Amino acid sequence: MLSLKMRLYLILLLKMKAVFTYTLLILFTNSFSQNTIQLDSLQLAVYNYHKGFSKQKPDLTRSAISSQLNMFNGNSSTNAIDWEAHMFIQGGEINEWINWMIENAGPFKNDITFKTQNKRSNSAILITEETGSNKFRFWENEEVVYQLGKTNDGWQILSVFIKNLKNPE
């Protein structure tokens, strides 16, 4: 016969398991049902940026990017002295880059967790934690900082900082 303390402990564990299972079910359902995803306009820009790559829809990715895009890398360092420029593209170069990435770097997979964001007037910073892969690399719990600007077309990405990325040698 189990003691009262042990029975209460088992009941608590079963309740915790039920809550955990329910939470996982919600997260699983939300990740596959676009109707249940509640994104604000900043998050939607970053979501569309990645969704366009993963679904091979260049227009969706393009709609998330402003007329210029600057990318830079953290070289796995929090010290700005170690950071490096990756690329700057504008105008038609953006379309060429998106198409090249879809044709040559796919398939894309990226799970995004929105960590924090800060808006001031028409400027914003959004920080994510991302896990995913493409033909060239795999990343896990990678911190990414997006700078966005509010344009006539809504919030769009101006720059992307990927902390753990290093330029090829």
Side-chain angles (χ1 to χ4, degrees):
M1 188 72 163
L2 294 174
S3 69
L4 177 61
K5 184 177 179 181
M6 186 59 104
R7 283 185 279 172
L8 291 174
Y9 179 71
L10 287 174
I11 290 170
L12 178 64
L13 281 177
L14 288 173
K15 285 184 179 183
M16 288 173 56
K17 180 180 177 188
V19 169
F20 179 72
T21 302
Y22 179 73
T23 303
L24 284 179
L25 179 61
I26 289 172
L27 291 173
F28 181 79
T29 302
N30 284 347
S31 67
F32 288 100
S33 174
Q34 187 171 357
N35 294 334
T36 60
I37 295 174
Q38 299 295 319
L39 301 174
D40 70 21
S41 54
L42 289 177
Q43 294 168 339
L44 186 60
V46 172
Y47 177 82
N48 286 342
Y49 173 80
H50 288 292
K51 194 68 160 177
F53 282 123
S54 66
K55 296 293 185 185
Q56 297 184 339
K57 295 184 176 182
D59 291 342
L60 186 57
T61 295
R62 182 63 187 95
S63 71
I65 300 172
S66 186
S67 60
Q68 301 176 352
L69 178 65
N70 185 36
M71 299 181 89
F72 56 111
N73 309 327
N75 204 10
S76 298
S77 174
T78 56
N79 187 343
I81 293 171
D82 298 326
W83 298 354
E84 50 191 22
H86 184 67
M87 71 173 192
F88 173 79
I89 52 178
Q90 58 187 334
E93 294 173 320
I94 296 172
N95 294 335
E96 291 172 18
W97 172 73
I98 292 169
N99 288 327
W100 186 91
M101 289 295 289
I102 288 174
E103 291 171 13
N104 297 288
F108 290 89
K109 181 179 184 220
N110 201 34
D111 296 320
I112 306 165
T113 301
F114 295 99
K115 302 301 274 183
T116 189
Q117 62 190 39
N118 180 274
K119 287 185 206 177
R120 183 165 190 252
S121 187
N122 292 330
S123 179
I125 292 176
L126 186 139
I127 300 172
T128 63
E129 186 176 271
E130 302 180 14
T131 297
S133 62
N134 63 29
K135 182 179 176 181
F136 301 121
R137 60 188 285 267
F138 168 81
W139 53 95
E140 185 172 7
N141 301 325
E142 183 169 70
E143 189 175 80
V144 182
V145 179
Y146 296 88
Q147 181 186 15
L148 296 99
K150 191 167 188 179
T151 69
N152 292 335
D153 295 321
W155 288 100
Q156 293 184 309
I157 298 170
L158 304 170
S159 69
V160 181
F161 171 75
I162 303 174
K163 180 182 168 200
N164 295 332
L165 187 61
K166 178 175 175 42
N167 284 334
E169 307 250 341

